[in-house]
Amino acid sequence: MKKLLPPHFRVWMRKSLSARIVLLFLGLLLLVQGLSFVAIRATIDGNARTVIGQDLEVGERLLKRVLDQNANKLTEGATLLASDYGFRSAVGSDDAATISSVLANHGERIGASVSALLDTSFRLRAAAQPDVAALQPMLARLAANGGSTKRASDVVVIDNRPFQFVMVPLRAPVLVGWVLMGFPVDQRLVDEMRSLSSLHVSLEVQRDAQSPWQTTVSTLPKAARKALERQNIFLPGDPAMSLTLPDGEYSARAVALTEPGGAAVSAVLMRSVDEAVAPYQRLQLGLAVLTVLSVVVFGAGSVLTARHVTTPLRRLAVAAERLGAGDYVTPLGGQRRHDEIGDLAHAFERMRVSVAGQQEEILKLAYWDGLTGLANRLQFRNAVIEAMALGKADNRSVAVVMLDLDRFKHVNDVLGYRFGDLMLKGVAERLSQQAVRNGDLVARLGGDEFAVLLADLEPASDLAHTTAVAQRLHQAFGDVMVLEDHNVDMSASFGMAVWPHHAADADTLLSRAEVAMYNAKRRSEGPVLYDPAIDAASTQTLSLLSELRHAVGHHELRLYLQPKLALDTGRVVGAEALLRWQHPTRGLVPPMSFIPFAEQTGFIRVLTMWVFEESARMWRVLNEGGMRIVISINLSTRDLLDVELPQKFEALLVKHIVPAEAFCLEITESAIMDDPQRAMNTLERLSGLGFKLSIDDFGTGYSSLAYLKKLPVDELKIDKSFVLSMEKDVNDARIVRSTIDLAHGLGLTVVAEGVENAQVWNLLRDLSCDEAQGFHMGKPMPSNEFVHWATGWASRHAAPGPKGVPGANVTLH
């Protein structure tokens, strides 16, 4: 081996004791590790096979328990049927039709695929399935078991498929027959065993002793199933069966599910040996890695020992490179020596300290404001970038509160620049006292503009926390500032922006906080949180508005309808028109992602007209099909303030030849209260045209009852927040009752939205509510599916049912 080493390495080994010691220990380490590998591998293989054998024994007991549970389920169902008085009466009167119907219904209810009635001689008397004559050959064995145990369970093979059957006696009061129930032992059983035990299971069927075994169901892949059939060695009870399949070696155990003689069914439980050994192989890999690391550590130690003399010089060389790279903080080290190397280390350290002082002064000028001592714009921007990087890793939010002093130029002009500087210092001190937690940062961005960085915010409360901090700062600026002998009234305009809600990068976040700040300065109403609607140059605003315009012109909008039903009869009397946006790349866009924006920008008026015209077209289709309903359409605040809205609606009615009575216009209380007189004029004109008017979400706004009495409305729609839990919450039920009584007292119809179960339907009907809308009856659906749903509703609920279920006399009109 020495000949394989380079000549200079052989010379170094002869002259270096440390090299020989290291090589000796490395050799012993490798020898011990090699022997350990051999011993561990042999132990792992034996332990893995022992564990597999135990798993297969547990799997056999688990399989038998699952089969027993299935048999008990069938037995309970069959016993229940056998004890049913009506069924026994039908058997006594030999009513074949009733017997077959009851067998079919009961079998379907408990999930049995075969249900039959046998006479006392175990001959087939009646069955729910027409193809059960093939059962006759196996009835004798079931009869033999049943005669001694009063009820029987067995697994038999029919058409090369295993079935599990149970048979219970039918007494009236003496024995008059036997009820037979069964279902196939199929993929569900082996999948359940796979999920419970992590064993692969295959069911093998053999018609007779000379026939080959065939796999009926299995959790193995197709290729492995075929290989399993070819082996054809399934000896029930063999604890040491070994199978070789395409994906490796398996240990297996065959469990007989049938009695000897005739067709046989065997469940083969299998566990992959490779999977069982895999965790131990990872242990071996870890040991190998540890060995490599040990070799590396020993090698590094030998190198350090051999080169002990040159190490101090090497450290000084590395320190010099650090100084060249700009690291003036880390001490050099090596100064404890008192020789020439120590003198050189002291000289390097004095140079490091001198350069570090000069660098600190330069950084202070670059990153700090010289007047206030606060961070400047550059440092603040870097801090925002760093906070956003940490927030992205930890799922936290970052906010910027920006402020600009009001009338600061007036202070400079009247009191002079010295007082202006004093005021800026006072503002910096006040912000530092009021604003921040640990980790937040106050900065002077320039002139009279300051900013506060709020980092590491909880995403669930980031907007609320930012607003609270801005409000606190705004209140702090209400205190008079004393500058020498002058009392100066201070005020400032505050703008806020929060990442990731309002921006994707630091520069955009600062820009949008500034946009909000200048908006606050124009409005003079306290702190303002950034909103795309206030940013005329916002690319997000322009992009969304452009996409909405494109959606209207390129047929991306969809009309959805949610049914409204009469509570007393269950008739479909109306539907609410809802808008959906089928975006070509983002799919179905939720309404809350574009409706509020459309309301802010005024584009909601275009969307309202689209919904109205599509609803008019749909009403014509429904009316021509014999379905006369009222379609409800939501109006926004901007719609009510549009003086031309009645004329626009009237023109569309004429265009599509639709009466105004076909529509109910829903308006919210808050929309009316924004400009009551103007809204009143619009509503009176719409009512004069024949439209039905409805107050939507009643109970959540601020309208007075006196004002409600003056409105030309026909309907009140109770907000779903009161309806959803009224069967559990007494207060909600009282509010609903009072609202219904109030509306009826004013001659108005009442609609309850948010009906999600039959109990709420019952309560509302008992309270004489007129109509209901909610998921219990139907979710919002595409308009072209509404007719199909309405027809299905009518057919499903045509017969009268128990209290609360829409039933008899359901018609469409």
Side-chain angles (χ1 to χ4, degrees):
M1 178 171 177
K2 291 184 178 180
K3 294 182 179 180
L4 298 177
L5 299 175
H8 66 276
F9 191 76
R10 294 200 299 270
V11 172
W12 178 69
M13 285 180 58
R14 287 195 300 270
K15 294 183 177 181
S16 174
L17 178 63
S18 61
R20 291 196 296 271
I21 294 174
V22 170
L23 289 176
L24 175 63
F25 277 99
L26 286 177
L28 291 175
L29 176 66
L30 293 174
L31 177 62
V32 171
Q33 291 295 338
L35 294 175
S36 299
F37 267 104
V38 174
I40 290 173
R41 185 174 184 84
T43 304
I44 286 173
D45 188 75
N47 288 342
R49 294 184 183 276
T50 301
V51 171
I52 290 174
Q54 295 171 353
D55 289 346
L56 292 175
E57 290 179 5
V58 173
E60 179 177 356
R61 292 194 296 269
L62 180 61
L63 174 64
K64 293 179 179 178
R65 180 172 297 179
V66 170
L67 289 173
D68 289 343
Q69 289 176 349
N70 291 340
N72 289 337
K73 176 183 174 183
L74 277 178
T75 300
E76 289 173 1
T79 302
L80 180 63
L81 177 61
S83 61
D84 183 76
Y85 177 78
F87 178 70
R88 288 187 293 172
S89 299
V91 172
S93 61
D94 200 20
D95 187 348
T98 301
I99 294 172
S100 298
S101 176
V102 172
L103 286 172
N105 292 335
H106 195 79
E108 182 179 358
R109 189 177 309 119
I110 66 172
S113 59
V114 176
S115 52
L117 175 66
L118 310 179
D119 61 15
T120 56
S121 299
F122 305 103
R123 290 190 298 270
L124 188 63
R125 181 173 173 182
Q129 295 76 18
D131 56 347
V132 295
L135 300 176
Q136 197 65 43
M138 64 82 180
L139 293 181
R141 181 161 51 191
L142 286 176
N145 290 338
S148 59
T149 63
K150 298 187 178 180
R151 54 173 58 107
S153 171
D154 202 355
V155 174
V156 297
V157 178
I158 300 176
D159 293 333
N160 212 35
R161 293 174 58 202
F163 281 77
Q164 185 173 17
F165 287 92
V166 297
M167 185 169 63
V168 299
L170 177 65
R171 304 181 186 277
V174 297
L175 182 68
V176 295
W178 297 83
V179 175
L180 181 69
M181 293 285 179
F183 61 82
V185 182
D186 54 12
Q187 190 69 36
R188 288 177 297 177
L189 175 68
V190 296
D191 289 342
E192 182 179 1
M193 282 293 299
R194 176 65 174 163
S195 64
L196 292 174
S197 64
S198 299
L199 297 176
H200 280 290
V201 183
S202 290
L203 290 184
E204 305 294 328
V205 174
Q206 187 183 43
R207 293 191 175 184
D208 50 52
Q210 288 73 35
S211 300
W213 291 92
Q214 294 182 350
T215 303
T216 58
V217 291
S218 177
T219 58
L220 292 172
K222 284 187 177 180
R225 294 183 188 184
K226 293 180 180 179
L228 181 65
E229 285 185 347
R230 287 195 295 270
Q231 304 213 14
N232 202 30
I233 48 169
F234 307 119
L235 303 177
D238 186 357
M241 189 186 306
S242 179
L243 302 176
T244 302
L245 300 180
D247 55 345
E249 181 186 358
Y250 283 77
S251 288
R253 186 184 188 94
V255 180
L257 303 183
T258 56
E259 297 295 333
V265 179
S266 180
V268 182
L269 309 179
M270 293 164 285
R271 177 73 188 275
S272 172
V273 177
D274 294 338
E275 291 180 2
V277 173
Y280 302 104
Q281 291 176 339
R282 288 192 292 270
L283 178 63
Q284 289 180 298
L285 179 61
L287 186 59
V289 172
L290 182 61
T291 301
V292 173
L293 291 177
S294 301
V295 172
V296 172
V297 170
F298 273 91
S302 65
V303 171
L304 291 176
T305 303
R307 299 182 180 182
H308 176 71
V309 177
T310 61
T311 298
L313 293 176
R314 191 178 299 108
R315 289 176 180 171
L316 288 176
V318 172
E321 292 178 358
R322 285 203 307 269
L323 289 175
D327 180 6
Y328 307 110
V329 178
T330 307
L332 298 182
Q335 302 174 51
R336 296 182 180 180
R337 299 180 63 124
H338 301 286
D339 53 8
E340 293 80 2
I341 295 177
D343 294 339
L344 181 61
H346 280 286
F348 268 93
E349 179 66 12
R350 288 193 295 272
M351 181 180 68
R352 181 192 68 81
V353 173
S354 175
V355 174
Q358 297 175 14
Q359 186 70 13
E360 183 179 358
E361 186 65 25
I362 294 172
L363 290 176
K364 186 174 182 181
L365 294 174
Y367 289 101
W368 297 91
D369 179 58
L371 176 64
T372 63
L374 298 177
N376 63 8
R377 179 180 289 273
L378 178 60
Q379 183 182 352
F380 188 80
R381 178 180 178 274
N382 291 341
V384 172
I385 294 174
E386 182 179 356
M388 290 172 66
L390 293 175
K392 186 177 296 184
D394 300 334
N395 192 26
R396 311 288 280 184
S397 299
V398 177
V400 171
V401 179
M402 195 174 292
L403 63 111
D404 186 81
L405 300 181
D406 298 331
R407 302 180 301 279
F408 179 71
K409 183 177 183 299
H410 180 71
V411 173
N412 276 336
D413 294 342
V414 175
L415 300 179
Y417 287 99
R418 188 174 71 84
F419 279 91
D421 290 345
L422 292 176
M423 184 175 180
L424 292 175
K425 292 180 180 178
V427 169
E429 182 179 356
R430 188 166 294 187
L431 284 174
S432 299
Q433 292 173 349
Q434 293 284 338
V436 299
R437 313 158 299 165
N438 291 334
D440 293 342
L441 180 67
V442 178
R444 181 189 176 204
L445 303 184
D448 60 344
E449 191 173 304
F450 294 80
V452 179
L453 169 63
L454 305 177
D456 195 30
L457 300 179
E458 285 282 353
S461 59
D462 49 6
L463 298 178
H465 179 81
T466 304
T467 303
V469 171
Q471 292 287 357
R472 187 172 71 247
L473 295 177
H474 184 259
Q475 293 172 2
F477 272 73
D479 298 334
V480 174
M481 179 177 287
V482 180
L483 300 177
E484 296 183 348
D485 296 332
H486 298 274
N487 293 332
V488 180
D489 290 327
M490 267 198 325
S491 65
S493 301
F494 291 81
M496 302 166 282
V498 181
W499 172 86
H501 300 285
H502 303 138
D505 56 75
D507 291 331
T508 306
L509 185 65
L510 293 172
S511 173
R512 290 182 173 170
E514 188 174 23
V515 167
M517 179 187 71
Y518 284 117
N519 184 267
K521 188 175 285 290
R522 289 193 300 270
R523 292 167 51 180
S524 301
E525 296 179 356
V528 172
L529 182 66
Y530 176 80
D531 190 295
I534 67 174
D535 186 2
S538 169
T539 55
Q540 180 181 0
T541 302
L542 294 176
S543 174
L544 185 56
L545 184 59
S546 175
E547 287 188 72
L548 271 176
R549 293 186 187 278
H550 182 274
V552 174
H554 291 77
H555 310 292
E556 294 177 10
L557 300 182
R558 302 289 185 270
L559 180 67
Y560 274 54
L561 296 176
Q562 185 175 22
K564 298 167 66 176
L565 289 85
L567 278 159
D568 57 345
T569 63
R571 292 185 294 111
V572 181
V573 296
E576 182 177 1
L578 301 169
L579 181 63
R580 298 292 185 267
W581 182 5
Q582 186 67 45
H583 195 277
T585 58
R586 287 183 283 173
L588 196 62
V589 181
M592 289 305 297
S593 298
F594 65 95
I595 293 296
F597 168 78
E599 291 178 345
Q600 292 173 359
T601 58
F603 195 75
I604 191 69
R605 295 178 180 177
V606 177
L607 299 182
T608 300
M609 298 308 297
W610 186 92
V611 171
F612 187 91
E613 185 162 12
E614 289 299 314
S615 298
R617 291 194 182 100
M618 190 63 201
W619 188 91
R620 282 287 304 275
V621 173
L622 296 174
N623 187 58
E624 291 172 359
M627 188 185 304
R628 190 174 182 85
I629 64 172
V630 175
I631 297 180
S632 299
I633 298 175
N634 292 283
L635 299 184
S636 71
T637 302
R638 290 184 179 268
D639 291 322
L640 285 181
L641 299 181
D642 183 4
V643 295
E644 297 180 359
L645 182 68
Q647 291 95 317
K648 295 176 181 177
F649 279 179
E650 187 177 17
L652 289 176
L653 293 176
V654 173
K655 176 182 177 181
H656 295 283
I657 317 175
V658 176
E661 293 77 8
F663 297 96
C664 177
L665 305 179
E666 296 185 0
I667 57 267
T668 61
E669 299 174 66
S670 57
I672 299 172
M673 291 299 103
D674 283 351
D675 190 345
Q677 189 57 48
R678 194 170 177 183
M680 178 75 77
N681 293 336
T682 302
L683 292 176
E684 287 178 349
R685 293 171 61 193
L686 291 171
S687 179
L689 290 174
F691 289 103
K692 183 180 179 181
L693 302 179
S694 173
I695 299 293
D696 194 12
D697 299 336
F698 183 78
T700 61
Y702 307 94
S703 61
S704 67
L705 298 180
Y707 200 83
L708 178 63
K709 184 176 64 174
K710 299 177 183 179
L711 295 173
V713 297
D714 308 280
E715 179 184 277
L716 285 186
K717 198 169 187 181
I718 304 175
D719 185 71
K720 65 181 179 182
S721 62
F722 303 116
V723 177
L724 284 172
S725 301
M726 63 177 291
E727 83 275 24
K728 303 174 184 176
D729 193 318
V730 176
N731 291 327
D732 283 349
R734 289 172 178 168
I735 292 173
V736 172
R737 179 192 298 272
S738 300
T739 304
I740 293 172
D741 294 341
L742 168 67
H744 286 167
L746 295 174
L748 305 179
T749 301
V750 183
V751 178
E753 61 177 340
V755 179
E756 295 193 357
N757 55 61
Q759 290 85 350
V760 174
W761 175 285
N762 289 342
L763 290 173
L764 291 170
R765 189 191 61 183
D766 294 341
L767 294 175
S768 300
C769 183
D770 300 297
E771 297 175 13
Q773 177 182 345
F775 285 7
H776 178 56
M777 296 80 73
K779 297 181 180 180
M781 62 196 75
S783 57
N784 56 6
E785 297 178 10
F786 184 80
V787 175
H788 177 71
W789 175 89
T791 304
W793 172 268
S795 62
R796 289 194 306 271
H797 302 282
K803 181 179 179 181
V805 180
N809 304 320
V810 175
T811 57
L812 304 177
H813 72 103

